[in-house]
Amino acid sequence: QVQLVESGGGLVQAGGSLRLSCATSGRTFSSAAVSWFRQAPGKEREFVALITRSGGNTYYADSVKGRFTISRDTAKNTVYLQMNSLKPEDTAVYYCAAAPGLTIGTMGRGDLYDYWGQGTQVTVSS
């Protein structure tokens, strides 16, 4: 089994930066794709970014492209989300999720992910 724990959330001013971490455990981590999702109050959960098992391919939602960067450190069993130029609309609970098998066309479907972290709150003030 795979377990995920998010950290790094907090309060930051608009235009600032924050780095989230997703610590993972389990034998299948190195072969699993890992994504970040977020959910703001009153809004539907949305896909943010994905990194493939090898770390060689990344995908981003249009709303964060150019501002956020997803990466992974296999040796540390950790996936990161570097968030720059933060906006108040980025305020949400951020979750990391893992799936051993996924396609580009279905990467945004949360129901297809087998493992989820507990979430970390990100608040961007204006």
Side-chain angles (χ1 to χ4, degrees), residues 1-117:
Q1 294 184 331
V2 176
Q3 294 183 331
L4 305 90
V5 179
E6 303 97 332
S7 63
L11 175 64
V12 65
Q13 294 182 345
S17 298
L18 207 60
R19 190 182 197 185
L20 305 183
S21 297
C22 176
T24 68
S25 63
R27 179 177 55 83
T28 62
F29 171 71
S30 62
S31 62
V34 177
S35 293
W36 287 95
F37 288 81
R38 67 186 183 185
Q39 187 166 28
K43 296 186 66 177
E44 188 175 298
R45 179 179 59 190
E46 66 174 337
F47 169 81
V48 176
L50 175 146
I51 188 165
T52 56
R53 55 185 58 83
S54 67
N57 296 94
T58 58
Y59 303 89
Y60 299 92
D62 289 340
S63 59
V64 306
K65 195 173 299 181
R67 299 189 298 121
F68 291 10
T69 302
I70 188 171
S71 62
R72 72 190 298 168
D73 187 329
T74 302
K76 294 182 178 180
N77 294 323
T78 302
V79 174
Y80 304 97
L81 184 67
Q82 178 66 47
M83 305 184 294
N84 298 325
S85 302
L86 283 163
K87 306 173 181 179
E89 50 262 46
D90 293 319
T91 295
V93 177
Y94 284 70
Y95 301 89
C96 62
L102 210 62
T103 67
I104 296 175
T106 60
M107 62 182 177
R109 287 182 54 184
D111 61 298
L112 298 180
Y113 287 75
D114 298 313
Y115 308 100
W116 291 83

